[in-house]
Amino acid sequence: MAWQNTLCYYYLLTVCLVWAQAKPPPDKKDRVHHGQDLSDHPHDDSQDFRYDHEAFLGKEDAKTFDQLTPEESKERLGKIVDRIDRDGDGFVTQPELKDWIKHTQNRYIYESVNKNWKDYDKDNDGQITWNEFKRTTYGHYEGEEFGDIEDKNSYRKMLARDERRFKAADRNGDMSVTKEEFTAFLHPEEFDYMKDIIVTETLEDIDKNGDGFVEVDEYLGDIYSPETGEPEPSWVTNERQQFLEHRDINKDGKMDREEIGHWILPTDYDHAEVESKHLLVQSDKDLDDKITKQEILDNWNMFVGSQATNYGEDLTKKHDEL
């Protein structure tokens, strides 16, 4: 029996080693910016509107609305509609709905920016200049020197990279950014006009030979450092195949800027686009492809929750359980 136990031990050890090699390490760098889900709840309007509530309000505000009476919920919804109708024409369009949903889903980003805004906007003029950001982030320095910092070259590179991204976020080119532009500077993956700078920074990180392309070895080198004599793990082999079969679209053995963009900024299923169309279709009673405040308020329980809607859902569930 002892030899059987020993054999079983070595079998399990082999399986564990193979499994460990088959998966990337937990700290493997993921450069792909994935679209986020709007809610953890299933999207099934025949059961409840929890998905729609969290998509439209965000998770935290959806919880707040759940505690309101129907009257309070409708009153607050009316104020939200006024904010969504940015051009003030009395109608909410699908693009306006989509923009609102994206705003609510990224609220944590805006809250973080708001929290740190005053640290950079020293003169409280509602703008952050490049000099304000530079002084706050890197401190005062003269010429090419960074005081007592040992690795001055790294800091120069970081400064140059930040300046390039700041210029990209600054849409009117005056080296001064609004809060929205500062958000684009800190979170460029959330803004379409910042996609090119994300590609540039990714290329700068991975393109070791400086030829303006990412070859397969450079791609793998970004996520894996082989040890001498170590066989290539299966997950690395899979990544190599991913590069050759999917990343390198034109099959020339390397990724150019367009291919890098497809890789790190994939055109995922656009949850906000789909949900905005869903809310509009369900509320547009006169079929004119836009909705009035009244049409939204008439369908308020789909957009927002309240004690009444939750009570109704609880009764339905209890009845189903019986």
Side-chain angles (χ1 to χ4, degrees), residues 43-216:
H43 196 183
D44 185 356
D45 290 348
S46 65
Q47 294 296 315
D48 57 51
F49 297 125
R50 293 182 188 273
Y51 179 97
D52 300 295
H53 295 168
E54 290 192 356
F56 182 74
L57 295 168
K59 293 182 181 180
E60 293 305 314
D61 278 7
K63 292 177 184 177
T64 300
F65 270 77
D66 285 345
Q67 307 307 313
L68 303 177
T69 65
E71 292 73 24
E72 291 172 325
S73 187
K74 290 178 185 178
E75 181 182 357
R76 293 197 186 187
L77 175 59
K79 294 177 180 177
I80 290 175
V81 174
D82 291 337
R83 294 172 60 189
I84 298 174
D85 179 20
R86 290 183 301 180
D87 59 8
D89 65 351
F91 297 96
V92 170
T93 62
Q94 183 268 325
E96 287 176 329
L97 261 180
K98 179 182 176 180
D99 286 346
W100 170 258
I101 290 170
K102 290 179 68 175
H103 175 80
T104 60
Q105 295 298 316
N106 291 331
R107 187 170 291 159
Y108 72 96
I109 292 177
Y110 291 99
E111 288 174 352
S112 174
V113 171
N114 287 335
K115 190 179 297 183
N116 295 296
W117 177 261
K118 61 183 179 182
D119 293 333
Y120 292 98
D121 183 17
K122 299 299 185 182
D123 54 7
N124 298 314
D125 66 346
Q127 300 269 333
I128 294 175
T129 66
W130 166 244
N131 285 331
E132 284 177 322
F133 174 81
K134 183 172 63 173
R135 283 196 300 268
T136 303
T137 305
Y138 294 95
H140 295 277
Y141 67 95
E142 294 181 4
E144 295 296 316
E145 297 304 319
F146 280 85
D148 296 328
I149 296 173
E150 292 184 7
D151 191 0
K152 294 180 176 61
N153 192 47
S154 293
Y155 268 74
R156 291 190 192 102
K157 288 181 179 178
M158 288 167 58
L159 177 61
R161 185 164 172 142
D162 276 346
E163 184 174 10
R164 182 179 60 199
R165 187 191 282 194
F166 194 94
K167 288 179 178 178
D170 173 24
R171 306 193 81 163
N172 65 4
D174 63 354
M175 293 303 283
S176 179
V177 294
T178 63
K179 191 172 289 186
E180 183 80 5
E181 290 169 335
F182 191 58
T183 305
F185 169 75
L186 295 176
H187 301 276
E189 69 281 356
E190 302 296 338
F191 294 80
D192 288 341
Y193 79 96
M194 294 293 287
K195 288 183 177 180
D196 190 62
I197 200 68
I198 301 176
V199 172
T200 296
E201 292 178 355
T202 303
L203 186 59
E204 187 175 71
D205 290 342
I206 304 177
D207 176 24
K208 300 305 181 184
N209 64 11
D211 66 349
F213 299 92
V214 172
E215 299 169 0
V216 64

Side-chain angles (χ1 to χ4, degrees), residues 6 14 35 38 58 77 139 214 291 298:
T6 302
T14 301
L38 304 180
L77 175 59
V214 172
I291 44 182
D298 287 344

